[in-house]
Amino acid sequence: MIRLSFHRVIVLEILFLLFSGLTSSTFAGTTGKLSGRVLDKNKNALPSANIIIVGTNLGAASDIEGYYSIINMPPGKYKVQFSIVGYRTYIVQDILITTNNTTKLDAELEESVVTTDAVVVTAQRPVVDVNLTSSIQSLTSKEIETLPVQDVQDVVNLQAGVVDGHFRGGRIGEVQYQVNGVTVNNAYDNSSSLRLDRSLIQEVQVISGTFDAEYGQAMSGVVNAVLKSGSEQYSWNAEMYAGTYLFTGLDKRVIPYTFRPAELQNYQFSLSGPFLFDKTFFVVNARRYINYDYFYGERRFLPTDSSNFEKKIFLPTGDGTEVPLGFGKEVSGLAKITNRSLEGIELSYQAIVNKVESKRANFGFRFLPDATTQQQTFSIVHGLDLTHTLSNSTFYNLSLRQNYFDYTDYAFEDMYDPRYYDAGPLMTDAGYEYGAVVQGYDLGRFLQRTDSYVLKGALTSQITREHQMKVGIEAQFSHVKFGVPGYIVQTNVDGVEILKPRSNEPPDYPNPKTYHPVTLSGYVQDQVEWNDLNLRAGVRAEYFDAMDSLPGDLQNPANSIAGAPVMPQKATKAKTSVSPRLGISYPITTTAALFFAYGHFYQYPGLGQVFTNSDYSVLERLQAGGISYGVMGNPDIKPERTIQYEFGYKHEISEFLGMDMSIFYKDIRDLLGVEFITTYSVAEYARLTNVDFGNVLGFTITFDQRQIGLLSISLDYTYQKAQGNSSDSRETATRASAGEDPRPRQIPLAWDQRHTLNLTVILQETDNFSASAVLRYGSGQPYTPSIGSGFGAGLETNSGRKDNAVVIDVRGEKYFSLAGIRMSLFARVFNLLDTRFNNGFVFTDTGSPDYTLNPVGNIGTLINPQRYFPPRRIEIGISLNSL
């Protein structure tokens, strides 16, 4: 057992005291701010004017110089009313509030000695926000509804600087995913533990550049999804659609086409409104989604078939049924209840659930589809949020969440299941259907379970007209378990090969292990709005303790070398980091602004890498010149680090057209990589440590044309150059084992897509119809060419470039009203042009997915349709909404 050292106890106690003493919203990161100035027609200040957010309990009064500010506003559109005795009431409709941003709204009131009708105007969202200090995109639920997207990840991939989940050239796993301002990342691999359907979303904010001190455990970006809440009016909506894949059969994909109209099915229902008690509101959502893969196999064989491989006699007993080789079946839902019965206090509980049953398609199993493993995923994020408004200028919030994620991958849960042993291991024959699997079960088994508890608190105060301060603290306690839940091993017994179950036999057959890391953090953030200057400055401190141990002597890692001293395990050291953040925006005119942002960003790698083989017991038989035991983990690593710089220019070219341009540079250090350790017996092994590095240089330019008549257009282009010494933390070890030079060098990273362009076109008439198209262009990513086969055939790493690609998605919708119900018919087409290649597999000797210089040796790949991009997908559905 690992005992806490004295300094760890002190640090933990101080941080818990800070947290417990923070009687200080929805969280920082889920609300916005409205501010401005109230004047008369002569530009004189109007003090004591009343500013009311109609339909809420939010409001403020202007100060002696006419300034006002209203904080803690959930994202959405509002009606704002300005009034003062002796002046006509002034009302502005459709003011848009976005997460963590300030919306400016000035008002000029007309003098009037008698009561007259109010002046009512409709606000227009600015085509560029000159107050932003970094690259932030906020999309509301209404905007998302018009696009050909289904979930949050689809929205994220449309943003400038994002390439297949990589934010501005960073590795996968460098993004912080949040729901209502609280992390939902799985500590195992730093991915989101939830799939969020668009029906749940009020707003999605994507930060692809630098970000404030309130965001931690991220080096490349932040995605914050704010979910819908109940209101005083009952409302409901339902959506149903079915779809299929539509492509030319027996083309380059080499598979026949069969029309199957229900390969994809989606059913979704939401209900919200007041609950049983006073000022209590609820929202519930349920979704069922089914997706069968586009290519099918034939159940020609059963796993228990027995063929004579020596004599090439194959005895299939399957029924010949066509079955999809891959599928996904998902059930998900949301339940949220909010109470505002106590003045100034909002208390809510929410639970988001995902349950997914899936099977990864594998072309090798096209005649034995029942032999593969299946993946089961269950995740739930639930907890309490408390918001307490202390005054018009100060509020605090507290939250307690549990993020639970359970994933398994095997054919059968029980390793003693007789079906494993009746069928045996997988069997193939190169002479039968180019090596298709014809017998046995996949014996692979894996589980991963993360149970994290997150405590988070934040205090926000508009301490002066110019300064809004935020102070926050967060604690996360995780239980991360992963490994093989029982091995099924082929063993020779009396000259006969049989399957034998093995478990809890370290070091060769260890049980899954559970780890208990602790993460603590705190931040201070000041948002300054002084005259035309906008400044956001902050600092974040983070503390991480792996709560694990390492070998006492790395040169005798398993204490197994004869004559070497035996050293006890030593505890890992707690790691701390301090991250300054700065963003400045200065409007040079009323419609243009310059901005600059700078920050240090730290993140701990996915714990699945850090803790794999982290006790080094597998090395007890390590000998000089012996076999490789893989890469050892290292729970004592430092956090990875990125320093980002961003400089930009925003310009409202006209009332309908805006431009946003930014140049960025990222210096990436202490990435997880591999070092080699030599033991006392002159054996060598590899272990993870902070040695990899990289840098990214690029720029983005975005044009946004607000709706003119029916038409609105958005265009963004990204150029970036992402380089580093390796694209994967284990790449150095892989090169060394292949006899290649493992020394560091600067090369293009595997996702280095130099040119990316996204074009969105929308035709829309409110309550009548909408049509949208999204065009995505990407230049070719790197690959390593070869000039033959065998040792030394590969040329310089990532020196080749794949072909460019264009993918187009479209959506159309027509609205109706019938019997008091607002309904619509819609259709979506993904990959409209049936693009076959989009930065996927290529043959290294040609750079093409279509042909190779060795067609005989690569025949199994040439007949595999999985090397191509998924084909055209069509979905048709109906949506029903309460009026």
Side-chain angles (χ1 to χ4, degrees):
M1 180 177 293
I2 305 301
R3 294 185 177 180
L4 288 177
S5 62
F6 177 75
H7 84 277
R8 291 185 185 176
V9 173
I10 294 298
V11 171
L12 287 170
E13 288 184 351
I14 290 174
L15 288 169
F16 275 118
L17 285 172
L18 285 172
F19 185 84
S20 60
L22 185 67
T23 50
S24 42
S25 131
T26 317
F27 277 107
T30 63
T31 60
K33 172 183 169 184
L34 179 69
S35 68
R37 196 178 186 195
V38 186
L39 307 170
D40 63 16
K41 289 298 181 180
N42 296 320
K43 308 297 182 182
N44 296 317
L46 290 178
S48 301
N50 292 314
I51 302 94
I52 297 173
I53 310 300
V54 179
T56 75
N57 58 357
L58 299 172
S62 58
D63 63 18
I64 194 169
E65 297 182 45
Y67 290 98
Y68 75 93
S69 64
I70 303 173
I71 62 175
N72 195 26
M73 296 183 64
K77 287 188 175 181
Y78 294 92
K79 180 189 291 187
V80 185
Q81 177 180 295
F82 299 83
S83 62
I84 189 173
V85 175
Y87 292 82
R88 293 181 67 186
T89 298
Y90 184 76
I91 298 175
V92 183
Q93 301 182 122
D94 294 339
I95 281 291
L96 181 64
I97 301 297
T98 58
T99 297
N100 217 25
N101 293 322
T102 298
T103 299
K104 297 286 189 178
L105 178 61
D106 297 332
E108 291 186 2
L109 305 189
E110 297 179 9
E111 196 169 359
S112 177
V113 295
V114 296
T115 301
T116 59
D117 292 336
V119 178
V120 181
V121 298
T122 300
Q124 293 287 342
R125 182 179 185 177
V127 288
V128 293
D129 190 342
V130 296
N131 299 308
L132 296 180
T133 60
S134 63
S135 298
I136 302 175
Q137 293 293 326
S138 298
L139 283 83
T140 66
S141 57
K142 292 295 183 184
E143 294 169 323
I144 294 172
E145 286 173 1
T146 63
L147 297 174
V149 296
Q150 186 60 41
D151 59 29
V152 167
Q153 198 58 53
D154 294 336
V155 176
V156 170
N157 285 331
L158 293 180
Q159 306 311 308
V162 180
V163 176
D164 300 329
H166 298 270
F167 278 51
R168 289 191 172 179
R171 287 180 175 178
I172 289 290
E174 294 184 357
V175 178
Q176 173 72 206
Y177 289 92
Q178 298 187 340
V179 171
N180 289 349
V182 182
T183 179
V184 293
N185 276 28
N186 181 358
Y188 173 78
D189 59 3
N190 287 332
S191 65
S192 175
S193 60
L194 290 174
R195 299 182 185 181
L196 292 176
D197 183 65
R198 65 177 191 157
S199 61
L200 304 177
I201 298 168
Q202 177 64 36
E203 180 190 59
V204 173
Q205 185 180 79
V206 181
I207 309 175
S208 56
T210 56
F211 39 89
D212 290 344
E214 65 184 285
Y215 300 110
Q217 273 296 92
M219 294 199 300
S220 292
V222 176
V223 177
N224 186 19
V226 180
L227 305 185
K228 295 178 179 178
S229 297
S231 64
E232 295 182 352
Q233 301 295 324
Y234 285 106
S235 64
W236 60 270
N237 71 79
E239 182 179 275
M240 296 157 283
Y241 68 77
T244 187
Y245 295 93
L246 181 62
F247 58 97
T248 303
L250 296 176
D251 64 354
K252 292 180 179 179
R253 292 192 178 93
V254 203
I255 49 176
Y257 174 73
T258 303
F259 178 68
R260 300 180 176 93
E263 286 179 302
L264 299 102
Q265 302 173 44
N266 185 84
Y267 310 93
Q268 175 267 321
F269 179 78
S270 297
L271 176 66
S272 64
F275 198 50
L276 299 175
F277 310 105
D278 183 42
K279 296 184 180 179
T280 303
F281 313 96
F282 78 97
V283 57
V284 293
N285 174 283
R287 178 178 182 241
R288 172 65 169 168
Y289 177 68
I290 301 172
N291 179 6
Y292 293 107
D293 216 326
Y294 63 92
F295 67 95
Y296 280 56
E298 173 194 345
R299 189 180 283 118
R300 184 181 299 179
F301 291 87
L302 296 179
T304 52
D305 285 344
S306 182
S307 299
N308 189 326
F309 292 91
E310 184 178 350
K311 296 182 177 181
K312 309 295 183 183
I313 299 174
F314 301 96
L315 305 171
T317 64
D319 57 12
T321 305
E322 281 194 328
V323 294
L325 291 185
F327 62 81
K329 300 177 182 180
E330 178 181 346
V331 176
S332 59
L334 163 71
K336 182 176 181 179
I337 185 167
T338 304
N339 179 272
R340 304 189 185 101
S341 59
L342 298 176
E343 184 175 355
I345 293 179
E346 177 179 295
L347 180 65
S348 65
Y349 169 81
Q350 69 177 19
I352 312 163
V353 178
N354 286 172
K355 185 177 181 182
V356 182
E357 177 187 352
S358 60
K359 177 187 285 190
R360 287 187 291 267
N362 187 326
F363 187 67
F365 290 82
R366 58 193 179 276
F367 301 121
L368 188 64
D370 301 325
T372 60
T373 64
Q374 291 194 25
Q375 299 77 48
Q376 303 279 347
T377 302
F378 175 79
S379 60
I380 179 170
V381 173
H382 70 117
L384 293 167
D385 295 325
L386 169 68
T387 301
H388 187 186
T389 303
L390 302 176
S391 68
N392 287 338
S393 60
T394 303
F395 67 91
Y396 72 86
N397 56 338
L398 299 171
S399 182
L400 170 63
R401 298 279 178 83
Q402 181 189 20
N403 298 342
Y404 182 81
F405 181 87
D406 190 349
Y407 170 85
T408 59
D409 183 4
Y410 37 58
F412 308 107
E413 180 177 2
D414 185 1
M415 72 170 179
Y416 298 100
D417 193 300
R419 287 171 288 187
Y420 276 129
Y421 306 95
D422 291 342
L426 297 176
M427 301 289 286
T428 65
D429 187 281
Y432 184 84
E433 295 286 355
Y434 307 107
V437 181
V438 298
Q439 183 176 311
Y441 275 110
D442 187 336
L443 303 180
R445 296 171 59 79
F446 182 77
L447 69 78
Q448 194 279 302
R449 185 173 300 127
T450 300
D451 192 5
S452 295
Y453 294 87
V454 182
L455 294 166
K456 187 170 183 179
L459 169 68
T460 303
S461 182
Q462 190 74 39
I463 58 176
T464 70
R465 181 198 307 161
E466 294 85 7
H467 292 269
Q468 184 185 78
M469 295 292 298
K470 296 181 181 179
V471 180
I473 193 166
E474 181 176 354
Q476 181 168 332
F477 306 91
S478 298
H479 306 277
V480 181
K481 180 179 181 179
F482 66 93
V484 177
Y487 298 77
I488 302 174
V489 182
Q490 196 163 5
T491 308
N492 188 297
V493 178
D494 297 328
V496 179
E497 294 289 334
I498 65 170
L499 293 182
K500 185 176 181 181
R502 308 289 291 270
S503 67
N504 198 24
E505 299 177 30
D508 297 320
Y509 308 109
N511 279 352
K513 295 183 180 180
T514 303
Y515 305 91
H516 308 277
V518 174
T519 304
L520 304 170
S521 60
Y523 69 88
V524 177
Q525 179 83 30
D526 186 13
Q527 179 177 331
V528 181
E529 296 170 349
W530 179 66
N531 294 334
D532 292 330
L533 177 69
N534 291 275
L535 184 147
R536 302 169 81 103
V539 63
R540 183 180 184 90
E542 295 183 283
Y543 170 98
F544 174 79
D545 195 337
M547 305 291 286
D548 202 41
S549 64
L550 281 172
D553 186 349
L554 292 176
Q555 292 183 283
N556 185 16
N559 284 322
S560 58
I561 298 177
V566 175
M567 299 293 291
Q569 293 280 102
K570 64 179 181 180
T572 55
K573 297 178 181 179
K575 305 298 188 299
T576 58
S577 60
V578 177
S579 311
R581 316 277 174 88
L582 176 67
I584 302 173
S585 174
Y586 184 76
I588 54 179
T589 70
T590 57
T591 59
L594 297 170
F595 71 89
F596 168 77
Y598 162 83
H600 289 234
F601 305 90
Y602 292 87
Q603 185 179 26
Y604 298 96
L607 301 183
Q609 296 185 76
V610 172
F611 287 117
T612 296
N613 288 333
S614 62
D615 65 0
Y616 295 42
S617 61
V618 71
L619 299 178
E620 68 177 23
R621 294 187 294 272
L622 180 66
Q623 299 293 329
I627 65 172
S628 171
Y629 290 86
V631 178
M632 301 299 105
N634 183 1
D636 206 29
I637 52 99
K638 299 183 295 184
E640 298 176 319
R641 173 169 58 97
T642 292
I643 302 176
Q644 293 195 50
Y645 305 83
E646 184 175 15
F647 177 80
Y649 173 68
K650 301 173 185 285
H651 188 190
E652 185 178 308
I653 299 173
S654 71
E655 183 181 355
F656 301 100
L657 180 63
M659 181 193 72
D660 188 339
M661 182 178 68
S662 67
I663 302 170
F664 58 89
Y665 176 75
K666 299 170 66 173
D667 182 33
I668 309 168
R669 300 289 172 178
D670 294 331
L671 287 178
L672 211 57
V674 168
E675 67 176 349
F676 294 93
I677 306 294
T678 301
T679 70
Y680 294 125
S681 61
V682 201
E684 195 174 67
Y685 66 93
R687 78 161 190 161
L688 295 175
T689 191
N690 301 94
V691 293
D692 281 358
F693 58 88
N695 62 74
V696 184
L697 174 66
F699 69 87
T700 64
I701 183 167
T702 300
F703 292 94
D704 192 4
Q705 180 238 297
R706 180 191 294 156
Q707 187 170 345
I708 303 176
L710 302 178
L711 178 67
S712 60
I713 300 175
S714 176
L715 172 68
D716 68 69
Y717 166 77
T718 302
Y719 170 85
Q720 70 179 22
K721 186 176 182 180
Q723 294 184 310
N725 72 306
S726 78
S727 301
D728 178 79
S729 59
R730 288 173 166 78
E731 183 177 317
T732 301
T734 302
R735 295 205 317 271
S737 64
E740 301 174 5
D741 186 354
R743 290 175 296 181
R745 75 277 196 245
Q746 190 92 332
I747 59 170
L749 298 175
W751 52 88
D752 176 36
Q753 185 167 296
R754 296 291 169 87
H755 306 282
T756 305
L757 184 143
N758 297 313
L759 172 65
T760 302
V761 179
I762 300 175
L763 290 170
Q764 184 176 23
E765 184 177 300
T766 304
D767 296 327
N768 188 2
F769 72 90
S770 71
S772 64
V774 174
L775 180 149
R776 291 173 289 156
Y777 163 83
S779 61
Q781 295 174 11
Y783 77 99
T784 302
S786 65
I787 54 175
S789 60
F791 179 78
L795 299 178
E796 185 177 350
T797 303
N798 286 346
S799 59
R801 288 281 169 176
K802 302 175 183 178
D803 288 340
N804 304 337
V806 173
V807 177
I808 298 177
D809 302 331
V810 297
R811 184 182 192 277
E813 188 165 15
K814 174 63 177 176
Y815 302 97
F816 306 91
S817 292
L818 182 65
I821 297 175
R822 182 175 180 264
M823 61 185 298
S824 68
L825 299 176
F826 65 88
R828 300 187 297 203
V829 182
F830 298 92
N831 192 9
L832 176 70
L833 302 180
D834 196 22
T835 296
R836 292 172 178 80
F837 179 77
N838 182 17
N839 275 317
F841 167 85
V842 296
F843 291 100
T844 58
D845 56 1
T846 63
S848 168
D850 298 328
Y851 65 96
T852 172
L853 301 180
N854 182 20
V856 175
N858 291 313
I859 185 64
T861 305
L862 285 169
I863 64 171
N864 186 349
Q866 286 185 280
R867 71 186 191 277
Y868 288 112
F869 193 67
R872 182 188 300 112
R873 187 173 91 237
I874 297 177
E875 299 169 353
I876 299 175
I878 183 171
S879 177
L880 306 172
N881 297 270
S882 59
L883 289 175

